[in-house]
Structure formats: structure tokens, C-alpha cells
């Protein structure tokens, strides 16, 4: 290769090295912040322990050292991942909880092991709860700072996209949508939607034979059919030489999602698998559903007299609206809501619209604030629904969209939910066009395949935020 090629390689190595150093510095600053939180809390905790007044200097030092050592171990086992580019809030939450839980439990065990005379179980537990709140709040601040840092053009990675498939367009918007990722699209080869390319796929192939004229950036995403084996191999070789990360993105036609499973000792392939197929995961989700629904039904009972009075004053008819909807495995169940519309004959076939004349004033209010959904916690308690899952649709829509969308019924492999991944990622409310329902179904299937307890908590938190920040699609 020529001298220019070597200069490109050298510049790339320097860029990658700087990015790694910056990521490491961000991680170290986050860890330092965690230790500041620990030591501040230890200072106040020691002051509130009644027995600490009789501690000598050696005993106080032993308590601090044990707690600090336990925190070092916890940080090693569950380090922060905020500095990483693609990381979900559920993973951040999970690691924060495990960090504090490990520290609290290990501190208690070590203090007992060295025969520390004071019994500090409750104090350590209380400190753990306060620490968890502080760490989570700190993570929000840290993530915001990393986002602003990368928005300003620092610690970014340049990306080259090659292909002409809609899957590549989806990836483009995903990388551009969140500044926390720190990706900068430097070159595009291929016709993908409304984006202006630097050239065609053929131009990219031609440049592979003249690598001096081709700049790849830090990462390359190639989305072409697998039959283009020579193009794929040439791109991989050049990426290896340039120390650029290579990613192959299957085209929409080839993205079937077949996954291997075992039937005894025989390997077979299936289209969809879910963590909720595991009995322990189903039990964990069900226990959470029962506890959470009971906690929500108690305050709902206190609001019930006011809601009943308001509905009865503005619209004659029943307080509760009961409708057959499609549940798990395609079985029908009655879904309950507070009635928000005048009694009408179109309730089982027409969705609510923005200025729907069927709504009465108080009904419009409870729909926008999600108060009308409160009776669904009863559905959760009796086992028809879950707190989080694909939203259940009326039977007419199930019949309609089953004919229009191939994968529509896949969303019924799990229990429907009061809220779901589709609702908190922009696909809530009325579906006027087919693509809106297709987007909802796609997100529902993603949730089924990627379920975790932490993902459920993330969705619940994102739903709670919409109560305080008006959702324009809530009508």
C-alpha cells in the first residue's frame, strides 16, 4: 500500500486510541463519583449509630475500611456501563441495584466475620436504600453529561454505511436518534431512502480496489445479500487492515430470526424464543404483577367515589366499560376501564380519535391522564393481563390486522399489558395507517424476545414520566 494509505492507518490508530482513553476516563470519573457518595453516606451513618459514640479510632477506621473494600469488590463485579455507546436504561438500572446490593450484603458479612461488636444490619440496610437512590440519580446526571459531551463532537466514532436495504435506513435513524451513542455518519454508499449518498454500492466496490481513495471511519456497517460473498470478504479484509470494526447487517428479506433450540439432544430451529418461556421468569413476572397491582388498586379505591360521581354527572350509563379483547394465545377476555365515552354502538369497532364527539369532558381528562386504565390492575390481579406487555386490541382489530400483517398474532405469545414497549417508544394511540400498526407489532415482538425484569421496570418508569409530561397521542 502507498504512503497515503499508511497515513490513514496511523490517523485511525490515533483516533481509536484517543477514544479508548476518553472512555476509560469517563468510567474512572463515574467510579470516583460513586466513592464520593459512599464516603459521604458513611460519614452521616456513623454519626447516627448509637453505639458509635463508644468507638475508638481503630474501630471507626475498621468500619470505614470494610465498607470501602466491599465497595471496591462491588464496583469490580458490577462496573458502570454509561461510558459505553449502546447501553439501555434497564442495564444501567440492573447494574446500579446489583452494585448497591452486593456492597450492602458483603459489608454485613465482612463485619460479622471480623466479629465487629456492633450490630449494624438495619443501619447498613437503610444506607443501602439511600445509596441506591443517590446512585440512580447520579447515573441520570452522568448520562446527561456524556450525552452533552458527545453532542459537542467529542468522543465520537465515525461510521460508514454500505447498502440499499430498509434495514440500513432503520440503523441510520437508530444511530442518529440518541446523541449518547456518539456516532457520526461520515459516508453512505447506496440508495437508502431520502438520504444523500456519497456514491452507489458499485462505487464502493470500485474503491475497494483503490483503498488509498477510500475512507472507512471507525466502523463499517454492510447490508447486502449474503450471496455477495466477494464484496463482504473484501470489505472485511480492508476493515481488518484499517483496524475498523466491521458489522454485517442482514437484509430485511434474509432477517428471518431463526434461533437454535434443543429438544432433548436434537437441535432444531424456531422463529421466536422468549425469556418468558422459562418457568422462573414467568414466576418472577407474575409475583411482580400481583404485588404492583395490589399497591395500585388500594389508592384507586380511594379515588373511586370521586370518579363515579364525575362520570354519573356528565354521562348516563355504567361507570365501568367492559370490552372483549384478545389475550395470551389468542384467547378472549374482558378488559375493564373507567367509561370515558357516552354509551354508543361503535365502541367495539372504532378507535378513539383526537376530537372524538363520543367523549365527555371528564372522560377526555381521564383518558389523557391514564386514569381510565386503573381498573385494568384488576385484570392483572386475576391473571388476564400483566403490568407490561403488548397492549390488547379489540376483537375487530385482531381480525382485521391478522389479515394485513403476517406477524401480527405473534404478539399474543405473552399476556397483554397495561403499558408496553411500543407505547413508550412512540406507537401509542390511534393507528390511522398500516405502518403505524406494523411498527407497534414490531416493537411488541422485540419486547417478547428481549424481556427482562429490568426492561419491565424501565418501561414502567417511562410510562410514569408521561403522566407528568403530556403525551400528544393520549386521546
Amino acid at each position: 500500500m502507498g504512503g497515503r494509505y499508511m497515513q490513514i492507518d496511523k490517523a485511525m490508530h490515533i483516533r481509536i486510541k484517543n477514544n479508548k482513553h476518553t472512555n476509560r476516563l469517563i468510567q474512572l470519573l463515574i467510579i470516583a463519583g460513586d466513592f464520593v457518595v459512599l464516603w459521604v453516606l458513611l460519614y452521616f451513618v456513623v454519626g447516627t449509630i448509637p453505639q458509635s459514640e463508644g468507638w475508638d479510632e481503630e474501630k471507626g477506621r475498621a468500619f470505614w475500611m470494610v465498607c470501602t473494600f466491599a465497595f471496591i469488590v462491588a464496583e469490580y463485579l458490577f462496573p458502570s456501563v454509561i461510558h459505553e455507546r449502546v447501553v439501555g436504561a434497564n442495564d444501567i438500572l440492573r447494574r446500579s441495584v446489583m452494585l448497591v446490593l452486593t456492597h450492602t450484603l458483603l459489608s454485613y458479612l465482612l463485619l460479622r466475620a471480623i466479629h465487629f461488636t456492633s450490630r449494624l444490619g438495619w443501619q447498613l440496610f437503610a444506607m443501602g436504600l439511600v445509596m441506591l437512590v443517590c446512585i440512580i440519580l447520579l447515573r441520570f446526571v452522568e448520562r446527561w453529561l456524556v450525552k452533552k459531551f458527545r453532542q459537542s463532537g467529542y468522543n465520537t466514532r465515525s461510521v460508514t454505511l454500505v447498502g440499499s436495504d430498509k434495514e440500513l435506513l432503520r440503523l441510520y435513524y437508530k444511530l442518529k436518534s440518541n446523541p449518547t451513542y456518539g456516532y457520526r455518519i461520515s459516508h453512505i454508499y447506496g440508495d437508502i431512502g431520502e438520504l444523500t449518498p456519497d456514491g452507489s454500492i458499485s462505487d464502493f466496490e470500485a474503491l475497494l480496489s483503490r483503498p488509498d481513495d477510500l475512507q472507512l471511519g471507525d466502523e463499517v456497517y454492510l447490508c447486502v445479500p449474503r450471496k455477495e460473498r466477494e464484496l463482504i470478504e473484501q470489505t472485511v479484509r480492508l476493515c481488518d487492515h484499517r483496524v475498523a470494526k466491521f458489522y454485517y447487517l442482514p437484509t430485511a428479506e434474509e432477517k428471518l430470526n431463526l434461533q437454535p433450540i434443543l429438544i432433548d439432544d436434537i437441535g432444531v430451529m424456531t422463529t421466536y424464543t422468549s425469556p418468558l418461556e422459562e418457568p422462573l421468569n414467568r414466576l418472577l413476572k407474575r409475583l411482580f404483577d400481583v404485588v404492583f397491582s395490589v399497591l395500585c388498586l388500594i389508592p384507586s379505591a380511594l379515588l373511586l367515589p370521586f370518579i363515579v360521581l364525575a362520570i354519573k354527572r356528565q354521562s348516563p350509563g355504567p361507570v365501568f366499560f367492559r370490552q372483549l379483547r384478545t389475550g395470551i394465545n389468542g384467547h378472549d377476555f374482558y378488559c375493564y376501564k373507567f367509561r370515558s365515552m357516552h354509551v354508543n354502538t361503535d365502541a367495539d369497532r372504532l378507535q378513539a380519535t383526537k376530537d372524538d364527539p363520543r367523549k365527555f369532558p371528564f372522560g377526555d381528562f381521564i383518558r389523557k391522564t391514564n386514569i381510565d386504565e386503573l381498573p385494568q390492575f384488576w385484570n392483572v390481579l386475576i391473571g388476564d393481563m400483566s403490568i407490561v406487555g403488548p397492549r390488547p386490541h379489540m376483537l375487530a382489530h385482531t381480525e382485521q390486522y391478522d389479515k394485513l400483517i403476517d406477524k401480527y398474532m405473534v404478539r399474543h405469545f405473552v399476556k397483554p399489558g397495561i403499558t408496553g414497549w411500543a407505547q413508550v417508544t412512540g406507537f401509542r394511540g390511534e393507528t390511522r395507517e398500516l405502518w403505524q400498526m406494523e411498527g407497534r407489532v414490531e416493537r411488541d415482538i422485540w419486547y417478547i424476545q428481549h424481556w427482562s425484569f429490568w426492561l419491565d421496570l424501565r418501561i414502567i418508569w417511562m410510562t410514569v414520566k408521561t403522566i407528568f409530561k403530556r403525551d400528544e397521542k393520549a386521546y
Side-chain angles (χ1 to χ4, degrees):
M1 299 296 175
R4 185 183 172 192
Y5 195 177
M6 295 301 294
Q7 288 177 357
I8 292 174
D9 288 345
K10 187 175 180 181
M12 181 66 65
H13 293 162
I14 293 173
R15 181 180 174 84
I16 293 172
K17 187 176 180 180
N18 289 340
N19 269 330
K20 286 183 177 179
H21 285 170
T22 307
N23 282 346
R24 182 60 178 163
L25 178 60
I26 292 172
Q27 186 180 32
L28 290 175
L29 288 173
I30 291 170
I31 293 172
D34 291 350
F35 275 96
V36 170
V37 170
L38 169 69
W39 291 329
V40 169
L41 286 177
L42 283 177
Y43 176 80
F44 286 106
V45 166
V46 170
T48 59
I49 298 175
Q51 306 94 314
S52 66
E53 294 179 0
W55 290 2
D56 55 23
E57 185 178 342
E58 183 179 347
K59 197 165 189 177
R61 189 184 304 114
F63 177 75
W64 277 68
M65 289 179 65
V66 166
C67 290
T68 301
F69 175 76
F71 201 70
I72 292 173
V73 174
E75 284 280 2
Y76 177 77
L77 294 174
F78 301 100
S80 169
V81 290
I82 288 182
H83 63 287
E84 295 182 4
R85 297 185 184 277
V86 182
V87 57
N90 53 309
D91 193 26
I92 295 173
L93 176 62
R94 179 183 66 84
R95 285 177 173 270
S96 299
V97 172
M98 294 307 297
L99 173 72
V100 174
L101 184 62
T102 302
H103 170 258
T104 303
L105 182 60
L106 187 57
S107 296
Y108 177 77
L109 294 175
L110 289 174
L111 289 170
R112 292 296 299 270
I114 64 173
H115 303 290
F116 203 82
T117 55
S118 300
R119 293 187 174 274
L120 303 173
W122 285 109
Q123 286 88 345
L124 288 173
F125 177 75
M127 185 179 77
L129 289 178
V130 176
M131 182 186 292
L132 179 60
V133 173
C134 293
I135 291 291
I136 290 175
L137 291 176
L138 191 61
R139 293 293 184 264
F140 276 110
V141 174
E142 290 163 348
R143 202 175 193 198
W144 180 82
L145 290 173
V146 170
K147 176 179 177 180
K148 292 298 180 183
F149 183 65
R150 287 173 174 162
Q151 268 184 324
S152 301
Y154 300 101
N155 192 229
T156 59
R157 290 182 70 80
S158 59
V159 173
T160 296
L161 304 179
V162 184
S164 298
D165 191 86
K166 66 178 182 180
E167 287 297 313
L168 200 64
L169 184 64
R170 291 180 61 226
L171 176 67
Y172 171 86
Y173 285 120
K174 173 65 70 175
L175 297 180
K176 294 285 287 184
S177 65
N178 193 338
T180 310
Y181 297 160
Y183 285 112
R184 178 173 54 84
I185 310 299
S186 57
H187 297 92
I188 298 175
Y189 293 94
D191 181 17
I192 49 174
E194 66 276 15
L195 306 182
T196 303
D198 297 277
S200 64
I201 298 178
S202 299
D203 294 331
F204 180 79
E205 290 185 82
L207 286 170
L208 284 174
S209 60
R210 308 193 312 274
D212 285 357
D213 300 322
L214 179 60
Q215 295 186 10
L216 294 179
D218 301 311
E219 297 180 6
V220 176
Y221 291 84
L222 180 65
C223 184
V224 295
R226 289 191 180 95
K227 64 181 181 181
E228 302 288 344
R229 185 179 182 87
E230 185 177 351
L231 172 60
I232 296 171
E233 290 180 348
Q234 282 185 312
T235 307
V236 169
R237 283 196 295 271
L238 184 59
C239 286
D240 289 345
H241 190 79
R242 295 279 186 89
V243 200
K245 280 203 167 187
F246 172 84
Y247 296 95
Y248 176 74
L249 179 64
T251 62
E253 185 179 354
E254 295 175 335
K255 204 171 185 179
L256 189 56
N257 262 337
L258 288 178
Q259 301 178 46
I261 62 170
L262 285 175
I263 298 178
D264 196 2
D265 60 344
I266 300 176
V268 298
M269 304 293 285
T270 184
T271 48
Y272 301 102
T273 60
S274 172
L276 288 172
E277 293 174 4
E278 295 293 332
L280 186 60
N281 288 337
R282 289 201 303 271
L283 176 62
L284 175 63
K285 187 172 177 65
R286 181 59 185 153
L287 288 175
F288 177 78
D289 283 344
V290 170
V291 173
F292 196 92
S293 58
V294 169
L295 293 176
C296 291
L297 284 170
I298 294 172
S300 298
L302 300 177
L303 292 173
L304 185 59
F306 304 99
I307 297 173
V308 170
L309 181 62
I311 292 176
K312 287 292 187 181
R313 283 180 64 88
Q314 294 190 7
S315 177
V319 173
F320 295 99
F321 173 69
R322 190 180 76 154
Q323 185 181 62
L324 273 176
R325 297 198 177 185
T326 309
I328 186 171
N329 297 324
H331 297 307
D332 301 340
F333 73 100
Y334 278 106
C335 180
Y336 294 93
K337 300 176 71 174
F338 285 123
R339 186 168 59 85
S340 58
M341 295 184 176
H342 297 295
V343 177
N344 64 91
T345 57
D346 295 324
D348 291 330
R349 66 182 187 88
L350 294 182
Q351 286 182 305
T353 57
K354 187 172 184 180
D355 299 310
D356 202 313
R358 296 175 295 169
K359 293 185 289 187
F360 51 90
F362 182 71
D364 190 40
F365 167 74
I366 62 176
R367 290 183 74 92
K368 289 179 178 177
T369 55
N370 296 317
I371 293 175
D372 67 318
E373 310 279 3
L374 291 178
Q376 287 174 36
F377 287 108
W378 174 252
N379 284 116
V380 174
L381 189 61
I382 64 178
D384 289 332
M385 294 177 63
S386 181
I387 300 296
V388 181
R391 282 295 294 163
H393 294 161
M394 62 181 76
L395 303 189
H397 279 176
T398 299
E399 184 178 351
Q400 174 189 357
Y401 288 113
D402 183 29
K403 297 174 182 177
L404 298 173
I405 303 174
D406 288 339
K407 300 178 182 179
Y408 179 81
M409 293 304 291
V410 174
R411 65 196 302 276
H412 300 109
F413 282 166
V414 299
K415 287 182 182 179
I418 296 177
T419 185
W421 182 242
Q423 282 63 47
V424 298
T425 53
F427 284 83
R428 179 186 178 184
E430 186 183 10
T431 50
R432 297 183 181 180
E433 300 181 29
L434 184 61
W435 69 266
Q436 293 172 306
M437 183 58 77
E438 288 175 335
R440 180 181 292 185
V441 170
E442 183 179 339
R443 281 158 176 76
D444 287 339
I445 294 174
W446 183 91
Y447 167 79
I448 293 170
Q449 294 183 301
H450 296 85
W451 177 88
S452 72
F453 179 70
W454 309 103
L455 178 59
D456 275 3
L457 292 182
R458 178 186 178 187
I459 293 171
I460 291 170
W461 167 245
M462 293 172 74
T463 304
V464 170
K465 287 196 298 184
T466 63
I467 297 175
F468 302 99
K469 182 181 178 182
R470 186 177 179 277
D471 189 343
E472 293 182 358
K473 294 183 180 180
Y475 48 77

